[in-house]
Amino acid sequence: MGTQNLSAPACAQPLNPRGITHINSKHTTRFTVVGNHLTQHRRLSLTAIGLACHIQSLPSGARVDIKTLAARFPEGETRVAAALRELETHGYLARIRERLPSGRFVTYTVSYNQPRADQSVPPVQPVQPVHRVQSGAQVPAAHPADQAPPPSPQQSASRDPAGDAAGDEPRAATVGEPGTSPPSAPPA
């Protein structure tokens, strides 16, 4: 009876019959750090929390418009739009509408990994516009005169509360830290 069972793991963790037991492995590639303030938020729906985690895991420039997200997940456009509005209300997302010289609207999406305290106007800087070439590659515009002016507070405040009005351009996204710049829209 004095022999040790060699098939048992050396540091087995006891299971907790009343709750969750975490078995954690350290990630070294392809991971996203998400704050508990988001994952345990008491006022956000589970759909909004999951969508925020997904958006934070995307690279800058990924599309996060309602149609693209609804095509990716089974929730559908109505639930995706509602979740995006929740994230916007609680400061995890900002959607900025801008009217192009052609009269069409584009919406820039900015994701925040910490909820913003000041939700009036997001700190967004204009960037050099991107022109599309026939091969599908993107190259920056040649001169600063082609840059779009920064959106005025009136334009920023004129966000579409429904999130996807008819006639809007497909939405571009900037996903990252506060202060990152949205991509400029290609000329019409």
Side-chain angles (χ1 to χ4, degrees):
M1 300 272 274
T3 61
Q4 183 180 5
N5 184 351
L6 298 177
S7 65
C11 57
Q13 296 179 355
L15 297 179
N16 184 348
R18 295 185 183 174
I20 186 75
T21 299
H22 293 281
I23 308 295
N24 296 322
S25 300
K26 183 175 174 117
H27 296 282
T28 57
T29 61
R30 297 181 48 93
F31 66 95
T32 302
V33 176
V34 179
N36 285 344
H37 53 83
L38 171 61
T39 59
Q40 297 175 9
H41 201 288
R42 294 201 179 266
R43 292 193 182 121
L44 288 175
S45 68
L46 189 57
T47 303
I49 292 170
L51 190 57
C53 292
H54 174 72
I55 289 171
Q56 288 183 15
S57 75
L58 295 173
S60 289
R63 295 179 57 94
V64 292
D65 59 280
I66 294 169
K67 290 188 187 310
T68 301
L69 292 169
R72 166 71 175 80
F73 296 105
E75 276 69 23
E77 290 184 18
T78 304
R79 288 186 69 190
V80 167
L84 290 173
R85 281 191 302 274
E86 279 184 69
L87 294 173
E88 199 169 14
T89 299
H90 292 282
Y92 288 99
L93 203 68
R95 293 184 283 183
I96 304 150
R97 289 190 70 191
E98 182 181 321
R99 182 184 285 262
L100 297 177
S102 66
R104 293 187 301 180
F105 283 94
V106 292
T107 303
Y108 301 114
T109 302
V110 182
S111 171
Y112 297 92
N113 68 353
Q114 291 278 347
R116 292 181 299 136
D118 173 29
Q119 297 179 18
S120 58
V121 178
V124 177
Q125 302 297 323
V127 294
Q128 194 170 10
V130 175
H131 294 285
R132 299 198 187 279
V133 240
Q134 283 184 323
S135 67
Q138 296 181 357
V139 293
H143 13 109
D146 292 340
Q147 283 187 327
S152 68
Q154 292 84 13
Q155 287 174 324
S156 295
S158 69
R159 288 183 237 144
D160 179 18
D164 196 20
D168 279 1
E169 282 260 317
R171 296 168 189 226
T174 297
V175 179
E177 302 295 320
T180 56
S181 302
S184 291

